[in-house]
Amino acid sequence: MSYFDKFFEPEISAQLNYGSIASGAFLSQKDENGKLVPNDDHGKQSADDFRMKNAPYGVIYLTADEWKNNVEMEPRAKLRLERLENWVKGYTYENAKSIPNLNYSKEQLDVLNMYESSLGNNIAAWMTNSITSPSVPTKSDWQNLLKTNRNSIDEVKRVNQEAYDAYLEKIKSSK
């Protein structure tokens, strides 16, 4: 167990999430608050490409305490949080809770992979066409897209609902 305990030590946890200090994932010095600072300069590769090579599981182990005390958030992540605060938070329901991390069976994942892929491609194509088309898309254009993709949407909703129901059942049975 001491091996896994290491995963939660601040510097080890940060390196599991961003890549090793030796790989250039962090600036060589900590900031004035003693936090590790992720390096945003990865040459010709994007920060995401760099992370996939050096820390393929991404940011998964950092707790709120570690963000507050040990690791500085990268500028892109700060920008995303700022945008959520400015553009989304005001439109959420009071006392809204985020969707928990759901567990899926292999069969459920196969269904999601199949339908989400085609659905995503169809939505991206519709958006591209909407942007490049000389005419402005209408509400009926969007409704036609939804109608055309109804089966995919229903399957994705069904699988996610099943996983969410299983999550709620597990919570209920653990009390």
Side-chain angles (χ1 to χ4, degrees):
M1 291 309 288
S2 63
Y3 172 80
F4 293 108
D5 284 344
K6 286 273 198 205
F7 284 26
F8 297 96
E9 290 180 10
E11 282 195 14
I12 301 296
S13 179
Q15 291 179 77
L16 286 169
N17 289 280
Y18 283 99
S20 71
I21 292 171
S23 73
F26 296 94
L27 299 179
S28 58
Q29 297 179 357
K30 293 181 179 181
D31 72 3
E32 64 276 358
N33 298 318
K35 292 182 176 182
L36 288 169
V37 179
N39 182 4
D40 271 353
D41 183 12
H42 302 295
K44 293 183 180 181
Q45 62 185 336
S46 71
D48 291 330
D49 288 339
F50 178 85
R51 184 175 294 128
M52 286 306 296
K53 289 178 185 172
N54 294 285
Y57 295 111
V59 180
I60 56 174
Y61 294 113
L62 295 176
T63 63
D65 182 63
E66 287 184 53
W67 285 116
K68 182 178 177 186
N69 299 309
N70 303 309
V71 180
E72 186 62 36
M73 195 174 287
E74 43 180 338
R76 293 179 321 136
K78 287 180 181 178
L79 180 61
R80 285 191 299 270
L81 288 177
E82 180 184 315
R83 287 177 176 168
L84 284 170
E85 183 70 31
N86 292 337
W87 301 101
V88 175
K89 191 173 181 182
Y91 297 96
T92 58
Y93 297 106
E94 192 174 323
N95 299 321
K97 295 179 183 175
S98 61
I99 297 172
N101 290 329
L102 301 175
N103 295 311
Y104 300 95
S105 69
K106 182 186 179 325
E107 293 78 19
Q108 289 172 321
L109 288 172
D110 290 343
V111 170
L112 288 176
N113 285 333
M114 181 172 66
Y115 288 108
E116 284 180 336
S117 176
S118 64
L119 187 58
N121 290 338
N122 292 344
I123 291 172
W126 184 86
M127 289 177 68
T128 301
N129 187 44
S130 297
I131 292 168
T132 59
S133 173
S135 61
V136 176
T138 65
K139 187 173 182 177
S140 82
D141 291 335
W142 177 251
Q143 289 171 338
N144 286 337
L145 175 76
L146 295 178
K147 184 178 177 184
T148 304
N149 291 279
R150 177 56 46 207
N151 186 51
S152 295
I153 294 168
D154 289 345
E155 284 298 303
V156 169
K157 284 172 51 178
R158 178 188 63 78
V159 168
N160 280 291
Q161 187 65 54
E162 285 176 1
Y164 185 67
D165 291 344
Y167 166 82
L168 291 177
E169 190 59 39
K170 193 170 220 172
I171 295 276
K172 185 178 167 184
S173 67
S174 68
K175 289 183 179 180

